[in-house]
Amino acid sequence: MAFPQWMNVGGMFPSVEVCGIPQSPFGMSHQQALAQVTAQAALHAQSQMHMQAQYQPSTVTTAKDLLTQYPSFNPGEALQQKQQMPPSTSDAQNSMVEAAEFSHSERKYQPPPAGDKPTDDGYNWRKYGQKCIKGSEYPRSYYKCTHLNCSVKKKVERSSDGQITEIIYKGQHNHDRAQVNKLSKDGDDSNGITRKDQESTKADHSEPPGSSDNEEAGNAAVQDEERGDDEPIPKRRQMDVVTSEVTLPHKTVTEPKIIVQTRSEVDLLDDGYRWRKYGQKVVKGNPHPRLENRIR
DNA sequence: AGCCTTTGACCAGCG
DNA sequence: TCGCTGGTCAAAGGC
């Protein structure tokens, strides 16, 4: 079975597979071994992203652009930085899906995610589970927000090359993302610096937790556009997730997908597109009116 | 010491 | 009811 190129740095380590994941037989994990490489790439990507956001505000600079250029860059972070994903909403069913796919041909170098932290999205996450998912070469990881009384969870799926293909957020943060509750570690110092810089840039867009409840933003359009109809909606445990399940064939697709569903009105206005409200409707079962938006 | 990851076991939904 | 599958728990160990 082929395994991600990045899994074998320099091709010097024999690998064994665990749930489809090549594992280093040595004490040092691949994650550790590659953290350094990734850190550099991620830092580069973040700084680039920052620059774009800062100097090209009128340009629809999506995470996928960055992903194309910097595969190591985290789409989730890009989205949050670009769109100022609110930390929470008033609706407990708020959720978000982020997805990205990459073309193998677009990358010459495919660094692994740094550590097992799929995103440095401003929150602290603790991994509480990992599960091999049927049909998936890589296990799905389960994370919980470590903030007190915050029950937000997220699932992270990776493609066969180790890249994050989907992040599903579940729930809402009841706290601000600017937690910085501890000194950075694991070589995240650079991230911390970067984040600080980013935070200052987006300060004007910051939204307090639970301050918005609007969803089905413009992203919905993208969703409909990109979601495959052949993807059955998860029948099991549809629970409180209002996420848009994204079809990610995990095959070679030239364009990465970035899909976000949010209730934030801010996102509506700050997703890089201009939206014109053309209707408002009370939706059964939803205390909040649905806003219909179109890209201008 | 505290936090985190790992991982097997357990639980629950669905066909 | 049973098996499959996804999600969660919690002990153990590492950092």
Side-chain angles (χ1 to χ4, degrees):
Chain A
M1 183 200 83
F3 55 83
Q5 203 171 4
W6 57 263
M7 280 293 189
N8 197 348
V9 179
M12 61 175 72
F13 299 146
S15 296
V16 294
E17 294 181 7
V18 175
C19 187
I21 302 177
Q23 303 284 330
S24 168
F26 299 95
M28 184 174 67
S29 67
H30 287 99
Q31 296 167 355
Q32 292 171 328
L34 296 167
Q36 292 177 323
V37 180
T38 306
Q40 274 197 324
L43 182 60
H44 186 194
Q46 289 182 358
S47 60
Q48 287 292 320
M49 186 281 306
H50 184 197
M51 289 178 63
Q52 292 191 32
Q54 188 172 5
Y55 298 115
Q56 301 178 353
S58 61
T59 301
V60 181
T61 306
T62 62
K64 78 178 185 181
D65 297 324
L66 293 166
L67 285 165
T68 301
Q69 298 178 36
Y70 309 102
S72 66
F73 183 73
N74 187 301
E77 177 143 350
L79 283 166
Q80 297 208 354
Q81 289 165 351
K82 169 68 181 176
Q83 304 186 337
Q84 298 307 311
M85 184 62 61
S88 67
T89 71
S90 60
D91 190 332
Q93 294 187 336
N94 179 42
S95 65
M96 174 179 72
V97 172
E98 300 173 4
E101 291 184 58
F102 316 97
S103 167
H104 290 231
S105 60
E106 289 177 348
R107 286 177 291 153
K108 297 173 184 175
Y109 168 62
Q110 303 176 353
D116 209 7
K117 293 187 175 182
T119 59
D120 182 12
D121 53 11
Y123 296 101
N124 285 335
W125 301 94
R126 186 169 68 89
K127 188 176 184 178
Y128 68 90
Q130 177 172 304
K131 190 83 174 183
C132 294
I133 302 303
K134 183 182 180 184
S136 180
E137 190 175 357
Y138 273 58
R140 173 183 294 168
S141 298
Y142 300 89
Y143 297 86
K144 281 180 181 175
C145 181
T146 60
H147 192 276
L148 190 64
N149 295 331
C150 181
S151 59
V152 175
K153 298 173 184 176
K154 72 175 179 181
K155 297 182 289 187
V156 176
E157 296 183 30
R158 299 178 189 277
S159 63
S160 58
D161 56 2
Q163 293 293 330
I164 296 172
T165 58
E166 186 170 346
I167 302 175
I168 300 176
Y169 287 83
K170 175 183 167 187
Q172 58 177 348
H173 293 280
N174 54 14
H175 57 93
D176 195 1
R177 59 185 291 184
Q179 83 296 10
V180 189
N181 52 11
K182 63 177 180 180
L183 293 176
S184 57
K185 63 176 185 178
D186 295 336
D188 278 344
D189 293 12
S190 57
N191 275 353
I193 294 171
T194 305
R195 176 166 305 285
K196 186 177 180 179
D197 196 16
Q198 292 163 346
E199 294 281 3
S200 63
T201 301
K202 69 188 179 186
D204 293 342
H205 303 285
S206 295
E207 185 179 0
S211 63
S212 65
D213 54 5
N214 183 26
E215 72 170 335
E216 310 193 27
N219 308 307
V222 178
Q223 253 173 44
D224 293 342
E225 223 176 85
E226 298 188 348
R227 180 174 57 195
D229 289 334
D230 53 347
E231 174 77 6
I233 296 176
K235 47 204 173 183
R236 174 205 298 273
R237 293 194 187 183
Q238 295 182 0
M239 41 186 160
D240 50 347
V241 180
V242 193
T243 66
S244 56
E245 287 296 326
V246 182
T247 298
L248 295 173
H250 292 203
K251 293 174 183 173
T252 301
V253 178
T254 42
E255 296 253 338
K257 295 180 181 179
I258 306 295
I259 299 177
V260 178
Q261 182 170 15
T262 176
R263 296 171 188 276
S264 167
E265 196 158 356
V266 171
D267 288 327
L268 267 177
L269 306 175
D270 194 22
D271 59 359
Y273 295 94
R274 292 171 61 87
W275 296 92
R276 180 173 61 86
K277 178 178 177 181
Y278 68 92
Q280 177 171 317
K281 208 171 188 177
V282 175
V283 179
K284 185 178 181 180
N286 187 340
H288 307 289
R290 169 181 295 176
L291 299 179
E292 307 291 349
N293 295 276
R294 283 177 178 158
I295 297 178
R296 282 199 283 202

